[in-house]
Amino acid sequence: MDGDTKTMTFLQEVVDILMAYIVESFDRETKVIDFHYPNELLQMNNWELQDEPATLDDILISCRATLKYAIKTAHPRYFNQLSTGLDMVGLAADWLTSTANTNMFTYEVAPVFVLLEYVTLKKMREIIGWPDGRGDGIFSPGGAISNMYAMLLARFKMFPEVKEKGMSSVPRLVAFTSEHSHFSIKKGAAALGIGTESVICIKADERHMGIVITASVDTLCAVIFLFVLMQGFVPFFVSATAGTTVYGAFDPLIAISDICKKYNIWMHVDGAWGGSLLMSRRHRWKLDGVERANSVTWNPHKMMSVPLQCSALLVREEGLMQNCNQMHACYLFQQDKHYDLSYDTGDKALQCGRHVDIFKLWLMWRAKGTIGFEAQIDKCLELSEYLYNKIKDREGYEMVFDGKPQHTNVCFWYLPPGIRYMEDKEERKKHLHKVAPVIKARMMEYGTTMVSYQPQGDKVNFFRMVISNPAATFEDIDFLIEEIERLGQDL
Amino acid sequence: MDGDTKTMTFLQEVVDILMAYIVESFDRETKVIDFHYPNELLQMNNWELQDEPATLDDILISCRATLKYAIKTAHPRYFNQLSTGLDMVGLAADWLTSTANTNMFTYEVAPVFVLLEYVTLKKMREIIGWPDGRGDGIFSPGGAISNMYAMLLARFKMFPEVKEKGMSSVPRLVAFTSEHSHFSIKKGAAALGIGTESVICIKADERHMGIVITASVDTLCAVIFLFVLMQGFVPFFVSATAGTTVYGAFDPLIAISDICKKYNIWMHVDGAWGGSLLMSRRHRWKLDGVERANSVTWNPHKMMSVPLQCSALLVREEGLMQNCNQMHACYLFQQDKHYDLSYDTGDKALQCGRHVDIFKLWLMWRAKGTIGFEAQIDKCLELSEYLYNKIKDREGYEMVFDGKPQHTNVCFWYLPPGIRYMEDKEERKKHLHKVAPVIKARMMEYGTTMVSYQPQGDKVNFFRMVISNPAATFEDIDFLIEEIERLGQDL
């Protein structure tokens, strides 16, 4: 099928289906989810692949069926993940990206996209606060990979021979992060051959700044000092978190940077979730000290509502990524091309082919301006403050941590009337642990809203409400609370 | 912006721009590329990001400008990469994927896509030849990452303690691949802390089977035996290539599997480029023995023309990926959900969030059927045979290797009249080295076609023609030859 009338008609028919889905997604009368169990869903359509072709009409039916059972992530009452919402300019940009169907590895095949990545990364580094926006960076397939890149760079910076000789040429490396950091730090350490046991998770200090739960700087300092004293161990990497996944807490970056400086350790800031607060004049103080980092993960696909995926790793030192990862493949990076080869950026990536993730961010930034992103982010934080104020003293609610949340994460228990006055603390806890999963299951069965829950440490299952959806309003927050009470009162 | 009339109108306007671009892309009268040097292109539009928002009209102008300077990768005369062409069903599926805007990590947020990944991976494993399609796998962001996964799994299989304890707990690991293998094998070894020096590149045997250039099995066997004898070294991984990047050669999988079996080494087949030949009854013999592999990389975004990116890693052993990579993040993979948790596949990935790459492949497979992919692949191979027959004895051409290509790679030198009869061999070689880059630069400036070139070993720059574009015809092959001669005759 190529560009003939029949295929253009087909494409338009698909667009019509998508447009209808979009309109529906923003409609509060629509279900967020039409839930079916895996075995049911397998029966509800013929999903099997066949030898023979289907007709275009069949293909349209498949598209409709796929959307029927999809989660409406754009729905104003979808709060389940850190990435929610659907921006129309971002979507248009993603459609254009698919149509252009190219690869980021060379300027030759992606001239505009390579330039836009250059322009955008520079702008993001300026916002971080690096002089003249100098430095390096890359858009990678998600925050976990961005964090892994940071660890890879830190190791290479300290021991460049590791590239050729492997870990057998270096001492035992030790990395540090808080117990509330994202699991990708450990995943990265496992993959890179460092090992999860070499990631020291610093106990969080629940009283830091009186309001948030962050890595204890004193503990970090003491533990690093111990490893420095021990022979054969080399502390090489600290990953501070700017916006933890569950609590939305911000580690104290300035204090951490002092320690990193003292011991000559690479400082990474995992701002996958919280990095976007740098766009807000009102909230960017929470990342004070980020400009001292060696690298920063920042995912515009979360708080900035750029369609999935869009994750950036920003690096302060120029040239390091290239040296760390390049392999000089001569079939791609010919040295006798007729244009400036510094625009062939592919060799600094771990990937060979790399999806174009830049255009949706760039186009949204054009459409909103920096102030538009700021307003959107500020509004989400305002909504979360509204939620916090609404439930903090409300009967039947307990907050998981004291004080106003620093990000949009509001963590709380809902206690159904039946267990509110239970005297046996252990019995109460046991009951409470089962409440959130049941309410969540009912939410999905009714399809009215979706919000996440989890246990953490010795804390039984609690709701983690997050707001990154620009379509959400105060009324949606009210709805969420009413819905939790409606679905949970009999538990 | 949400689903209101104004935004729907905007979205339709973008679609109209994209449709016009598609029609143009398939039109041979259109240029493949409107080339400008990076500094020129930076001046040709205002690409900078601003504080203030732009109007929707400005956004449409930006979309048009971006496409004006984009490479028309769907153009029937675009032969520059292994991924070319644009399938309309694949494109529609990618637009739907963007609209659904979700994440592969849990069934909860991607029920249909998770099931389709399950169905499709099983089908691919059946085609590989694993009993009942059993095994495991994942769609990853490109072949380089798929290959890295394979190496990671091989290491974990042999030394599971490496996950916690890192490389300091294991002996020096040694991997083997051919000198013509993809650079991602070394890149992966560098990242995983194995080190590039531990990747032994086996010299290719140019006479293997009389026609192709593949890893010499005798050398492989001897080198592995040497490492087995040496204390402290453990051969753990062989990556055989099914379709090398430049020559399109297939390593002898059966012979390699015998060696791997003998020494208990993980056998990986990098079929990123050649794996799709498994869909062709006429050509799948080239991968005979693939069913003996422990893992296989297979990129449907190459020879099957699925939009970028779509790369699968298939793994023979069930459960290994999960054990190797899982970190049990309790905020995502809650153990008390109300559905079958085996469908929450996210923890087996290195990524946390994972882009939905499955739907475009699945929908194309529905539309074409297995026989449709087969026909498309067979046609590309037929075109490459046509090219080979056309130039092998033509004046002014020299083939880089003897015999009919096994894949669609046709590697050749074009010798302009002026150097055809040059007696000084070294002088001739020096001249010839400059020919391909100049012809390529001229192709890009005229915008008529694009084909890749590179040096390899002691061979000076030659053209590597590859055909994966279903829109290409015999006439386009004729055109390429005429164009090379037109652009190169004065050199």
Side-chain angles (χ1 to χ4, degrees):
Chain A
M1 293 215 310
D2 50 27
D4 63 15
T5 317
K6 192 175 135 213
T7 57
M8 292 297 114
T9 307
F10 162 75
L11 215 47
Q12 184 61 53
E13 282 176 308
V14 174
V15 168
D16 294 342
I17 292 172
L18 299 181
M19 298 251 196
Y21 179 79
I22 292 166
V23 171
E24 223 190 305
S25 290
F26 286 106
D27 178 2
R28 288 177 178 76
E29 300 301 308
T30 311
K31 282 178 167 192
V32 174
I33 171 176
D34 178 7
F35 180 78
H36 299 276
Y37 291 92
N39 284 335
E40 278 172 23
L41 190 50
L42 272 171
Q43 310 302 324
M44 297 187 90
N45 196 37
N46 174 13
W47 308 107
E48 290 301 316
L49 296 166
Q50 314 287 345
D51 287 346
E52 300 297 321
T55 64
L56 284 185
D57 281 342
D58 285 336
I59 293 302
L60 294 175
I61 291 168
S62 288
C63 289
R64 284 192 202 95
T66 300
L67 291 174
K68 175 164 164 46
Y69 305 114
I71 310 306
K72 296 200 172 57
T73 58
H75 197 288
R77 290 170 182 169
Y78 174 77
F79 304 108
N80 207 61
Q81 310 295 147
L82 306 183
S83 301
T84 64
L86 187 62
D87 184 275
M88 287 303 114
V89 171
L91 180 62
D94 218 18
W95 288 3
L96 184 147
T97 301
S98 303
T99 312
N101 193 32
T102 195
N103 209 313
M104 290 298 284
F105 45 40
T106 60
Y107 178 83
E108 187 174 325
V109 302
V112 181
F113 300 130
V114 165
L115 291 186
L116 297 183
E117 185 170 80
Y118 175 84
V119 164
T120 309
L121 287 172
K122 184 165 186 290
K123 184 84 179 174
M124 292 172 89
R125 290 189 303 257
E126 282 169 11
I127 291 172
I128 285 173
W130 290 333
D132 300 325
R134 278 200 306 273
D136 206 339
I138 200 165
F139 282 85
S140 92
I145 303 292
S146 291
N147 287 340
M148 194 171 91
Y149 265 118
M151 199 178 267
L152 188 64
L153 290 171
R155 180 175 71 179
F156 177 76
K157 172 75 179 166
M158 198 174 268
F159 298 103
E161 64 272 28
V162 76
K163 182 176 177 182
E164 283 86 29
K165 302 200 174 298
M167 291 291 284
S168 60
S169 67
V170 303
R172 277 286 296 273
L173 301 178
V174 192
F176 304 86
T177 193
S178 101
E179 59 176 331
H180 293 300
S181 70
H182 191 257
F183 69 91
S184 57
I185 304 298
K186 284 199 166 183
K187 224 167 218 193
L192 303 189
I194 292 164
T196 54
E197 286 179 4
S198 296
V199 178
I200 309 300
C201 289
I202 304 296
K203 212 177 143 36
D205 177 1
E206 304 227 355
R207 289 170 314 279
H208 173 79
M209 299 160 77
I211 40 170
V212 286
I213 294 150
T214 62
S216 161
V217 176
D218 294 343
T219 313
L220 175 65
C221 196
V223 171
I224 289 179
F225 183 66
L226 274 176
F227 274 101
V228 168
L229 288 182
M230 273 192 284
Q231 262 192 335
F233 289 89
V234 176
F236 82 112
F237 183 75
V238 171
S239 179
T241 314
T244 60
T245 314
V246 177
Y247 291 163
F250 289 75
D251 282 344
L253 303 184
I254 293 175
I256 290 174
S257 77
D258 286 341
I259 301 173
C260 288
K261 198 175 166 190
K262 182 170 170 191
Y263 293 106
N264 191 30
I265 297 175
W266 183 284
M267 176 179 172
H268 174 61
V269 174
D270 177 5
W273 173 224
S276 300
L277 266 55
L278 290 168
M279 309 282 281
S280 160
R281 280 164 289 190
R282 199 183 303 161
H283 297 287
R284 71 164 285 149
W285 63 271
K286 294 165 188 174
L287 290 104
D288 277 354
V290 68
E291 71 286 355
R292 302 190 189 183
N294 298 92
S295 57
V296 179
T297 293
W298 173 353
N299 286 7
H301 71 215
K302 295 197 162 85
M303 200 62 193
M304 287 157 76
S305 271
V306 176
L308 290 157
Q309 288 183 336
C310 189
S311 168
L313 177 77
L314 293 315
V315 182
R316 198 167 58 191
E317 182 173 331
E318 284 175 80
L320 192 66
M321 288 198 86
Q322 186 76 12
N323 289 336
C324 178
N325 293 323
Q326 72 186 349
M327 290 291 154
H328 305 287
C330 60
Y331 78 95
L332 266 182
F333 310 115
Q334 302 91 331
Q335 294 305 299
D336 44 14
K337 285 183 185 174
H338 64 308
Y339 59 82
D340 178 354
L341 297 177
S342 69
Y343 289 93
D344 279 0
T345 54
D347 212 13
K348 70 182 175 193
L350 279 177
Q351 301 172 266
C352 173
R354 188 158 60 91
H355 189 260
V356 177
D357 292 336
I358 183 60
F359 190 63
K360 49 201 174 189
L361 170 58
W362 181 84
L363 200 69
M364 279 176 69
W365 206 320
R366 291 283 279 203
K368 287 179 196 293
T370 310
I371 59 165
F373 275 126
E374 178 182 44
Q376 175 179 323
I377 291 161
D378 284 354
K379 187 194 149 203
C380 287
L381 277 123
E382 213 179 298
L383 286 177
S384 92
E385 199 175 331
Y386 173 80
L387 170 62
Y388 169 72
N389 286 328
K390 186 172 172 120
I391 61 174
K392 72 176 164 24
D393 302 316
R394 190 182 177 98
E395 202 192 336
Y397 290 82
E398 273 180 34
M399 305 309 291
V400 173
F401 57 89
D402 289 338
K404 202 168 79 174
Q406 287 213 292
H407 207 319
T408 70
N409 308 49
V410 181
C411 294
F412 62 91
W413 288 282
Y414 167 69
L415 290 83
I419 68 165
R420 267 174 222 172
Y421 308 103
M422 224 175 240
E423 299 222 331
D424 184 331
K425 286 260 155 85
E426 275 312 302
E427 193 62 19
R428 182 173 178 268
K429 214 169 153 178
K430 233 172 94 184
H431 262 83
L432 189 54
H433 188 56
K434 290 179 192 153
V435 170
V438 175
I439 294 179
K440 171 66 178 279
R442 289 179 180 177
M443 278 177 179
M444 287 174 70
E445 275 161 22
Y446 283 98
T448 47
T449 183
M450 276 174 83
V451 57
S452 191
Y453 74 88
Q454 66 283 298
Q456 173 114 340
D458 59 354
K459 296 178 168 72
V460 298
N461 278 321
F462 55 87
F463 285 112
R464 178 206 63 176
M465 173 68 181
V466 280
I467 302 155
S468 60
N469 193 337
T473 62
F474 294 106
E475 289 71 29
D476 295 313
I477 303 296
D478 293 338
F479 175 83
L480 176 81
I481 291 305
E482 285 157 25
E483 192 64 1
I484 285 176
E485 293 175 1
R486 180 178 81 87
L487 297 174
Q489 60 179 347
D490 66 321
L491 294 175
Chain B
M1 298 215 305
D2 49 27
D4 63 15
T5 317
K6 192 174 134 217
T7 57
M8 290 298 114
T9 308
F10 162 75
L11 214 48
Q12 184 61 51
E13 281 176 308
V14 173
V15 167
D16 293 343
I17 292 172
L18 299 180
M19 299 251 197
Y21 179 79
I22 293 165
V23 171
E24 224 189 303
S25 291
F26 286 106
D27 177 2
R28 289 176 177 77
E29 300 301 308
T30 312
K31 282 177 167 192
V32 175
I33 170 175
D34 179 6
F35 180 77
H36 299 276
Y37 290 93
N39 285 335
E40 280 172 22
L41 189 51
L42 272 170
Q43 310 302 324
M44 297 187 92
N45 195 37
N46 174 13
W47 308 107
E48 290 301 317
L49 295 165
Q50 314 286 346
D51 287 347
E52 301 296 322
T55 64
L56 284 186
D57 281 343
D58 284 337
I59 293 303
L60 294 175
I61 290 168
S62 289
C63 289
R64 283 192 203 96
T66 301
L67 290 174
K68 176 166 165 41
Y69 305 115
I71 309 306
K72 296 199 173 59
T73 57
H75 196 289
R77 290 171 183 170
Y78 174 77
F79 303 109
N80 207 62
Q81 310 296 146
L82 304 184
S83 301
T84 64
L86 186 64
D87 183 275
M88 288 302 114
V89 170
L91 180 62
D94 217 18
W95 287 3
L96 185 147
T97 301
S98 303
T99 311
N101 193 32
T102 196
N103 209 312
M104 290 299 284
F105 46 39
T106 61
Y107 178 83
E108 186 173 328
V109 301
V112 181
F113 300 130
V114 165
L115 291 187
L116 297 184
E117 185 169 80
Y118 175 84
V119 165
T120 309
L121 287 172
K122 183 164 185 290
K123 185 82 179 173
M124 292 172 89
R125 290 189 302 258
E126 282 169 10
I127 290 172
I128 285 173
W130 290 334
D132 300 326
R134 277 199 308 273
D136 206 340
I138 200 165
F139 281 85
S140 93
I145 303 291
S146 292
N147 287 340
M148 194 170 91
Y149 266 116
M151 200 179 266
L152 188 64
L153 291 170
R155 180 175 69 180
F156 178 77
K157 173 73 180 169
M158 198 173 269
F159 299 103
E161 63 272 28
V162 75
K163 182 176 177 180
E164 284 85 29
K165 305 206 174 291
M167 290 291 284
S168 59
S169 68
V170 303
R172 278 285 295 276
L173 301 178
V174 193
F176 304 85
T177 192
S178 99
E179 58 176 333
H180 292 299
S181 71
H182 191 258
F183 69 92
S184 57
I185 303 299
K186 284 198 167 185
K187 224 168 218 192
L192 303 189
I194 292 164
T196 54
E197 286 179 4
S198 296
V199 179
I200 310 300
C201 289
I202 305 294
K203 211 172 144 36
D205 177 0
E206 306 225 355
R207 290 171 313 278
H208 174 77
M209 298 160 77
I211 40 169
V212 287
I213 294 150
T214 62
S216 160
V217 176
D218 294 342
T219 313
L220 175 67
C221 195
V223 172
I224 290 179
F225 183 66
L226 272 176
F227 274 102
V228 168
L229 288 182
M230 275 193 284
Q231 260 192 337
F233 289 89
V234 175
F236 81 112
F237 184 74
V238 171
S239 180
T241 314
T244 60
T245 315
V246 177
Y247 292 162
F250 289 75
D251 282 344
L253 304 183
I254 293 176
I256 290 174
S257 78
D258 286 341
I259 301 174
C260 289
K261 198 176 167 192
K262 180 170 172 190
Y263 292 106
N264 191 29
I265 297 175
W266 183 284
M267 177 179 170
H268 174 61
V269 173
D270 177 4
W273 174 224
S276 300
L277 266 55
L278 290 168
M279 310 282 281
S280 161
R281 281 164 288 188
R282 199 182 305 164
H283 297 287
R284 71 163 286 150
W285 63 270
K286 295 166 188 174
L287 289 104
D288 277 354
V290 68
E291 71 286 355
R292 303 190 188 182
N294 297 93
S295 56
V296 178
T297 293
W298 172 354
N299 286 7
H301 71 214
K302 293 195 163 84
M303 201 61 195
M304 286 157 76
S305 271
V306 177
L308 289 156
Q309 289 183 332
C310 189
S311 168
L313 178 77
L314 293 313
V315 182
R316 198 170 56 192
E317 183 173 330
E318 283 174 82
L320 192 65
M321 288 198 86
Q322 185 77 10
N323 290 336
C324 178
N325 294 321
Q326 74 186 349
M327 291 290 154
H328 304 288
C330 61
Y331 77 94
L332 267 182
F333 310 114
Q334 301 92 329
Q335 294 305 300
D336 44 14
K337 286 181 184 175
H338 64 309
Y339 60 82
D340 177 354
L341 297 177
S342 69
Y343 289 93
D344 279 0
T345 55
D347 212 12
K348 72 181 174 193
L350 279 176
Q351 300 172 268
C352 171
R354 188 159 58 93
H355 189 262
V356 178
D357 292 335
I358 183 59
F359 190 62
K360 49 201 174 191
L361 170 58
W362 181 83
L363 200 68
M364 278 176 69
W365 206 319
R366 291 284 278 203
K368 288 178 197 293
T370 310
I371 59 163
F373 275 126
E374 178 182 45
Q376 175 178 321
I377 291 161
D378 285 352
K379 187 193 149 203
C380 287
L381 277 123
E382 213 179 301
L383 286 176
S384 91
E385 198 175 330
Y386 173 78
L387 170 62
Y388 168 72
N389 286 329
K390 187 171 172 120
I391 61 173
K392 71 174 165 26
D393 302 317
R394 190 181 176 97
E395 202 193 334
Y397 290 81
E398 275 180 31
M399 305 311 290
V400 173
F401 56 89
D402 289 337
K404 204 168 78 173
Q406 286 214 293
H407 206 319
T408 70
N409 308 49
V410 181
C411 295
F412 62 90
W413 289 281
Y414 168 68
L415 291 84
I419 67 165
R420 266 174 223 171
Y421 307 103
M422 225 177 238
E423 299 221 332
D424 184 332
K425 285 257 154 84
E426 275 313 301
E427 193 63 16
R428 183 173 178 267
K429 214 169 155 179
K430 234 172 95 185
H431 262 83
L432 188 55
H433 189 55
K434 290 179 191 152
V435 169
V438 175
I439 294 178
K440 172 66 176 281
R442 290 179 180 176
M443 279 177 178
M444 288 174 71
E445 275 160 24
Y446 283 99
T448 45
T449 184
M450 276 174 83
V451 56
S452 191
Y453 74 88
Q454 66 283 298
Q456 174 113 338
D458 59 354
K459 295 180 170 70
V460 298
N461 279 320
F462 55 87
F463 286 111
R464 178 206 64 177
M465 175 67 182
V466 281
I467 302 156
S468 60
N469 193 335
T473 61
F474 293 106
E475 289 71 30
D476 295 312
I477 304 296
D478 292 338
F479 175 83
L480 176 82
I481 292 304
E482 285 157 26
E483 191 65 359
I484 286 176
E485 294 175 1
R486 181 178 80 87
L487 297 173
Q489 60 178 350
D490 65 322
L491 295 175

